[in-house]
Amino acid sequence: MTDYRDTTPLPTGRVALVALFVTALVTAQLTASKLLGFSIPVSLPFTGRMLVMPGAALAYAVTFFASDCYSELYGPDEAHKVVNVGFAMNFVLLALVYSTIAAPAAPFSAVDPATFESVLGASLNIVVASLLAYLVSQHWDVRVFHAIRERTGGDHLWVRNVGSTATSQLLDTLIFVTVGFAIMPALRGGDPQALNALLGLVVGQYVLKLLIALADTPFVYAVVGYLRSRGSAAPAPRSAD
C-alpha cells in the first residue's frame, strides 16, 4: 500500500496561484469573441472617448498578476513551466469546446446549437492570434520581471511588476490585434480591419491593461507577503522595499 505521507505536499498558496493563472487564461479564451466598450472622460488618439477591446482583455490581465506573483515566489524556471502548461491547456480547452459543438444536441435543448457555436466557437483568426500572443508575451513577462529583479537586487517589487507587465502587455496587444484582425484575415482571403480601427483596438486594450497593472500592484505585495509569511516560498533576499 502506498504511503502518501512520504510525498512532499505543495503549499495551498502555490496551487492557488497556478489555478488562478489557468482559470483566467481559459476564461480569456472563452470570452474573446465579445467586444467591450468603456466610456472614458477624455478623448484618446484613434479610440476617442471609448475604449474598445475583446472581452478577453479583462481575464487575460489577471494572468499577468498571477504569473508575477508566482515568478517572484518560485523563480523564473518554475514560472516558465506554468506558462508552458497554460499553453497546453489552451488546446485542451479548444478540443473540449469544439467536440461539444460537434456533438448532437438534444431535441429539447433550450440552447440553440448555432447560438452555442457562435458564442463559444472562436474563429481561427482569434485562436491563432491569441495563442501566438500568449506564448510570446508571457515568456517575455517572466524574463523581464527577473531581469529587473536582478538589476534592483531584489528590491522594488512594484518596479518589476509594472515594468514587466507594461512591456509584455504591449507585445501581447500588438501581436493579437495585428495577427487576428489584419494578417490572418488577409491570408484567408478576407478584408483586414482598417488601420484606424486596428490602432483603436491597440490603444483601447493597452490603456486598460496598463491601468490594471498599476492597480494590482498592492495586491501583488499582499499575496507575496502573505505566502512568504506562511513559509510557502523562500524569503525575500533583501529588506522589504
Side-chain angles (χ1 to χ4, degrees):
M1 184 174 183
T2 303
D3 185 1
Y4 292 105
R5 293 172 298 178
D6 293 338
T7 61
T8 302
L10 285 174
T12 302
R14 185 170 187 170
V15 175
L17 283 176
V18 175
L20 176 62
F21 180 87
V22 176
T23 300
L25 182 62
V26 298
T27 301
Q29 190 72 263
L30 291 175
T31 56
S33 59
K34 180 178 180 178
L35 284 179
L36 307 179
F38 294 95
S39 297
I40 55 176
V42 295
S43 181
L44 296 177
F46 306 110
T47 191
R49 290 180 175 273
M50 177 169 287
L51 300 181
V52 179
M53 67 207 71
L58 296 174
Y60 196 58
V62 176
T63 66
F64 286 91
F65 164 79
S67 66
D68 282 354
C69 291
Y70 196 88
S71 194
E72 171 70 13
L73 291 165
Y74 307 110
D77 291 341
E78 293 301 308
H80 283 301
K81 289 179 186 177
V82 172
V83 171
N84 290 332
V85 168
F87 185 70
M89 291 305 102
N90 270 293
F91 290 97
V92 174
L93 168 71
L94 291 170
L96 293 173
V97 168
Y98 281 104
S99 63
T100 305
I101 290 172
F108 48 84
S109 173
V111 179
D112 177 62
T115 302
F116 184 86
E117 180 176 1
S118 68
V119 172
L120 293 182
S123 70
L124 180 63
N125 296 354
I126 297 301
V127 169
V128 171
S130 62
L131 290 176
L132 180 60
Y134 166 82
L135 200 60
V136 173
S137 64
Q138 291 284 357
H139 280 299
W140 174 271
D141 182 70
V142 175
R143 292 183 184 278
V144 172
F145 186 93
H146 285 279
I148 297 174
R149 195 177 198 278
E150 291 178 6
R151 289 290 185 90
T152 58
D155 282 338
H156 311 304
L157 173 56
W158 69 271
V159 174
R160 53 186 176 273
N161 175 59
V162 175
S164 63
T165 301
T167 57
S168 56
Q169 289 279 31
L170 180 59
L171 264 179
D172 174 77
T173 301
L174 289 172
I175 293 172
F176 177 76
V177 172
T178 303
V179 174
F181 297 92
I183 295 176
M184 284 298 294
L187 290 177
R188 302 182 70 200
D191 295 323
Q193 290 279 351
L195 180 59
N196 279 355
L198 292 174
L199 292 173
L201 283 172
V202 168
V203 171
Q205 286 191 70
Y206 187 63
V207 168
L208 177 71
K209 291 173 179 178
L210 192 57
L211 290 174
I212 292 175
L214 294 170
D216 75 11
T217 300
F219 298 98
V220 172
Y221 272 91
V223 170
V224 168
Y226 175 75
L227 292 182
R228 279 201 171 120
S229 71
R230 303 284 294 179
S232 294
R238 299 180 61 176
S239 59
D241 43 15

